[in-house]
PDB file of all heavy atoms in Angstrom:
ATOM      1  N   PHE Z 198      19.636  29.512  -2.193  1.00 96.00           N
ATOM      2  CA  PHE Z 198      19.547  29.266  -0.692  1.00 96.00           C
ATOM      3  C   PHE Z 198      20.761  29.905  -0.098  1.00 96.00           C
ATOM      4  O   PHE Z 198      21.853  29.971  -0.598  1.00 96.00           O
ATOM      5  CB  PHE Z 198      19.307  27.793  -0.457  1.00 96.00           C
ATOM      6  CG  PHE Z 198      18.138  27.171  -1.014  1.00 96.00           C
ATOM      7  CD1 PHE Z 198      18.135  26.533  -2.212  1.00 96.00           C
ATOM      8  CD2 PHE Z 198      16.871  27.311  -0.355  1.00 96.00           C
ATOM      9  CE1 PHE Z 198      16.978  26.078  -2.662  1.00 96.00           C
ATOM     10  CE2 PHE Z 198      15.764  26.755  -0.797  1.00 96.00           C
ATOM     11  CZ  PHE Z 198      15.699  26.099  -2.070  1.00 96.00           C
ATOM     12  N   LYS Z 199      20.575  30.136   1.235  1.00 95.00           N
ATOM     13  CA  LYS Z 199      21.751  30.612   2.054  1.00 95.00           C
ATOM     14  C   LYS Z 199      22.892  29.632   2.007  1.00 95.00           C
ATOM     15  O   LYS Z 199      22.724  28.501   2.130  1.00 95.00           O
ATOM     16  CB  LYS Z 199      21.297  30.715   3.490  1.00 95.00           C
ATOM     17  CG  LYS Z 199      20.305  31.822   3.890  1.00 95.00           C
ATOM     18  CD  LYS Z 199      19.937  31.665   5.409  1.00 95.00           C
ATOM     19  CE  LYS Z 199      18.655  32.509   5.557  1.00 95.00           C
ATOM     20  NZ  LYS Z 199      17.959  32.254   6.817  1.00 95.00           N
ATOM     21  N   GLU Z 200      24.035  30.208   1.784  1.00 94.00           N
ATOM     22  CA  GLU Z 200      25.258  29.416   1.635  1.00 94.00           C
ATOM     23  C   GLU Z 200      25.255  28.305   0.675  1.00 94.00           C
ATOM     24  O   GLU Z 200      25.841  27.229   0.856  1.00 94.00           O
ATOM     25  CB  GLU Z 200      25.645  28.824   3.112  1.00 94.00           C
ATOM     26  CG  GLU Z 200      26.049  29.983   4.091  1.00 94.00           C
ATOM     27  CD  GLU Z 200      25.974  29.414   5.467  1.00 94.00           C
ATOM     28  OE1 GLU Z 200      25.934  28.202   5.740  1.00 94.00           O
ATOM     29  OE2 GLU Z 200      25.711  30.298   6.419  1.00 94.00           O
ATOM     30  N   LYS Z 201      24.405  28.471  -0.377  1.00 92.00           N
ATOM     31  CA  LYS Z 201      24.181  27.510  -1.406  1.00 92.00           C
ATOM     32  C   LYS Z 201      23.802  26.135  -0.838  1.00 92.00           C
ATOM     33  O   LYS Z 201      24.207  25.167  -1.408  1.00 92.00           O
ATOM     34  CB  LYS Z 201      25.458  27.393  -2.283  1.00 92.00           C
ATOM     35  CG  LYS Z 201      25.757  28.627  -3.179  1.00 92.00           C
ATOM     36  CD  LYS Z 201      26.749  28.364  -4.160  1.00 92.00           C
ATOM     37  CE  LYS Z 201      27.041  29.630  -4.952  1.00 92.00           C
ATOM     38  NZ  LYS Z 201      28.142  29.514  -5.865  1.00 92.00           N
ATOM     39  N   LYS Z 202      23.007  26.231   0.185  1.00 91.00           N
ATOM     40  CA  LYS Z 202      22.584  24.821   0.790  1.00 91.00           C
ATOM     41  C   LYS Z 202      21.714  24.212  -0.237  1.00 91.00           C
ATOM     42  O   LYS Z 202      21.157  24.816  -1.079  1.00 91.00           O
ATOM     43  CB  LYS Z 202      21.646  25.181   1.956  1.00 91.00           C
ATOM     44  CG  LYS Z 202      22.395  25.274   3.264  1.00 91.00           C
ATOM     45  CD  LYS Z 202      21.411  25.707   4.425  1.00 91.00           C
ATOM     46  CE  LYS Z 202      21.076  24.438   5.318  1.00 91.00           C
ATOM     47  NZ  LYS Z 202      20.329  24.867   6.550  1.00 91.00           N
ATOM     48  N   TYR Z 203      21.693  22.865  -0.090  1.00 91.00           N
ATOM     49  CA  TYR Z 203      20.795  21.993  -0.976  1.00 91.00           C
ATOM     50  C   TYR Z 203      21.414  21.762  -2.293  1.00 91.00           C
ATOM     51  O   TYR Z 203      20.726  21.182  -3.168  1.00 91.00           O
ATOM     52  CB  TYR Z 203      19.290  22.452  -1.035  1.00 91.00           C
ATOM     53  CG  TYR Z 203      18.788  22.858   0.279  1.00 91.00           C
ATOM     54  CD1 TYR Z 203      18.377  24.172   0.562  1.00 91.00           C
ATOM     55  CD2 TYR Z 203      18.635  21.847   1.284  1.00 91.00           C
ATOM     56  CE1 TYR Z 203      17.978  24.484   1.870  1.00 91.00           C
ATOM     57  CE2 TYR Z 203      18.215  22.194   2.589  1.00 91.00           C
ATOM     58  CZ  TYR Z 203      17.832  23.534   2.819  1.00 91.00           C
ATOM     59  OH  TYR Z 203      17.385  23.905   4.031  1.00 91.00           O
ATOM     60  N   SER Z 204      22.629  22.168  -2.599  1.00 90.00           N
ATOM     61  CA  SER Z 204      23.307  21.854  -3.855  1.00 90.00           C
ATOM     62  C   SER Z 204      23.676  20.374  -3.729  1.00 90.00           C
ATOM     63  O   SER Z 204      23.978  19.905  -2.606  1.00 90.00           O
ATOM     64  CB  SER Z 204      24.584  22.711  -4.021  1.00 90.00           C
ATOM     65  OG  SER Z 204      24.318  24.067  -4.251  1.00 90.00           O
ATOM     66  N   VAL Z 205      23.761  19.726  -4.769  1.00 85.00           N
ATOM     67  CA  VAL Z 205      23.992  18.219  -4.855  1.00 85.00           C
ATOM     68  C   VAL Z 205      25.380  17.898  -5.396  1.00 85.00           C
ATOM     69  O   VAL Z 205      25.862  18.725  -6.216  1.00 85.00           O
ATOM     70  CB  VAL Z 205      22.883  17.491  -5.549  1.00 85.00           C
ATOM     71  CG1 VAL Z 205      21.574  17.639  -4.897  1.00 85.00           C
ATOM     72  CG2 VAL Z 205      22.795  17.881  -6.946  1.00 85.00           C
ATOM     73  N   SER Z 206      25.869  16.879  -4.977  1.00 82.00           N
ATOM     74  CA  SER Z 206      27.214  16.393  -5.515  1.00 82.00           C
ATOM     75  C   SER Z 206      27.067  16.026  -6.970  1.00 82.00           C
ATOM     76  O   SER Z 206      25.974  15.625  -7.469  1.00 82.00           O
ATOM     77  CB  SER Z 206      27.625  15.212  -4.691  1.00 82.00           C
ATOM     78  OG  SER Z 206      28.639  14.523  -5.463  1.00 82.00           O
ATOM     79  N   ARG Z 207      28.185  16.377  -7.760  1.00 81.00           N
ATOM     80  CA  ARG Z 207      28.172  16.040  -9.130  1.00 81.00           C
ATOM     81  C   ARG Z 207      28.349  14.485  -9.294  1.00 81.00           C
ATOM     82  O   ARG Z 207      28.067  13.922 -10.333  1.00 81.00           O
ATOM     83  CB  ARG Z 207      29.358  16.680  -9.799  1.00 81.00           C
ATOM     84  CG  ARG Z 207      29.111  18.168 -10.056  1.00 81.00           C
ATOM     85  CD  ARG Z 207      30.326  18.828 -10.724  1.00 81.00           C
ATOM     86  NE  ARG Z 207      30.583  18.330 -11.988  1.00 81.00           N
ATOM     87  CZ  ARG Z 207      31.631  18.607 -12.710  1.00 81.00           C
ATOM     88  NH1 ARG Z 207      32.584  19.390 -12.250  1.00 81.00           N
ATOM     89  NH2 ARG Z 207      31.819  18.085 -13.918  1.00 81.00           N
ATOM     90  N   HIS Z 208      28.730  13.792  -8.209  1.00 83.00           N
ATOM     91  CA  HIS Z 208      28.982  12.328  -8.279  1.00 83.00           C
ATOM     92  C   HIS Z 208      28.272  11.714  -7.045  1.00 83.00           C
ATOM     93  O   HIS Z 208      28.947  11.284  -6.104  1.00 83.00           O
ATOM     94  CB  HIS Z 208      30.513  11.959  -8.325  1.00 83.00           C
ATOM     95  CG  HIS Z 208      31.154  12.670  -9.408  1.00 83.00           C
ATOM     96  ND1 HIS Z 208      31.048  12.274 -10.785  1.00 83.00           N
ATOM     97  CD2 HIS Z 208      32.057  13.626  -9.392  1.00 83.00           C
ATOM     98  CE1 HIS Z 208      31.791  13.023 -11.445  1.00 83.00           C
ATOM     99  NE2 HIS Z 208      32.452  13.972 -10.683  1.00 83.00           N
ATOM    100  N   PRO Z 209      26.975  11.720  -7.063  1.00 84.00           N
ATOM    101  CA  PRO Z 209      26.168  11.242  -5.880  1.00 84.00           C
ATOM    102  C   PRO Z 209      26.524   9.746  -5.531  1.00 84.00           C
ATOM    103  O   PRO Z 209      26.368   9.321  -4.409  1.00 84.00           O
ATOM    104  CB  PRO Z 209      24.735  11.386  -6.255  1.00 84.00           C
ATOM    105  CG  PRO Z 209      24.753  11.483  -7.727  1.00 84.00           C
ATOM    106  CD  PRO Z 209      26.007  12.066  -8.174  1.00 84.00           C
ATOM    107  N   TRP Z 210      27.033   9.012  -6.506  1.00 83.00           N
ATOM    108  CA  TRP Z 210      27.395   7.621  -6.209  1.00 83.00           C
ATOM    109  C   TRP Z 210      28.526   7.527  -5.216  1.00 83.00           C
ATOM    110  O   TRP Z 210      28.642   6.421  -4.510  1.00 83.00           O
ATOM    111  CB  TRP Z 210      27.666   6.821  -7.474  1.00 83.00           C
ATOM    112  CG  TRP Z 210      28.899   7.321  -8.304  1.00 83.00           C
ATOM    113  CD1 TRP Z 210      28.841   8.336  -9.226  1.00 83.00           C
ATOM    114  CD2 TRP Z 210      30.256   6.972  -8.127  1.00 83.00           C
ATOM    115  NE1 TRP Z 210      30.164   8.572  -9.673  1.00 83.00           N
ATOM    116  CE2 TRP Z 210      31.025   7.731  -9.014  1.00 83.00           C
ATOM    117  CE3 TRP Z 210      30.926   5.961  -7.263  1.00 83.00           C
ATOM    118  CZ2 TRP Z 210      32.455   7.594  -9.126  1.00 83.00           C
ATOM    119  CZ3 TRP Z 210      32.287   5.955  -7.424  1.00 83.00           C
ATOM    120  CH2 TRP Z 210      33.008   6.635  -8.310  1.00 83.00           C
ATOM    121  N   ILE Z 211      29.401   8.457  -5.206  1.00 81.00           N
ATOM    122  CA  ILE Z 211      30.467   8.473  -4.248  1.00 81.00           C
ATOM    123  C   ILE Z 211      29.982   8.608  -2.794  1.00 81.00           C
ATOM    124  O   ILE Z 211      30.407   7.801  -1.890  1.00 81.00           O
ATOM    125  CB  ILE Z 211      31.534   9.596  -4.510  1.00 81.00           C
ATOM    126  CG1 ILE Z 211      32.166   9.415  -5.828  1.00 81.00           C
ATOM    127  CG2 ILE Z 211      32.510   9.700  -3.342  1.00 81.00           C
ATOM    128  CD1 ILE Z 211      33.130  10.542  -6.256  1.00 81.00           C
TER     129      ILE Z 211
END
Side-chain angles (χ1 to χ4, degrees):
Chain Z
F198 295 97
K199 287 176 196 163
E200 294 160 21
K201 291 194 183 172
K202 267 174 110 172
Y203 313 114
S204 292
V205 295
S206 161
R207 287 177 63 190
H208 306 288
W210 60 271
I211 294 177

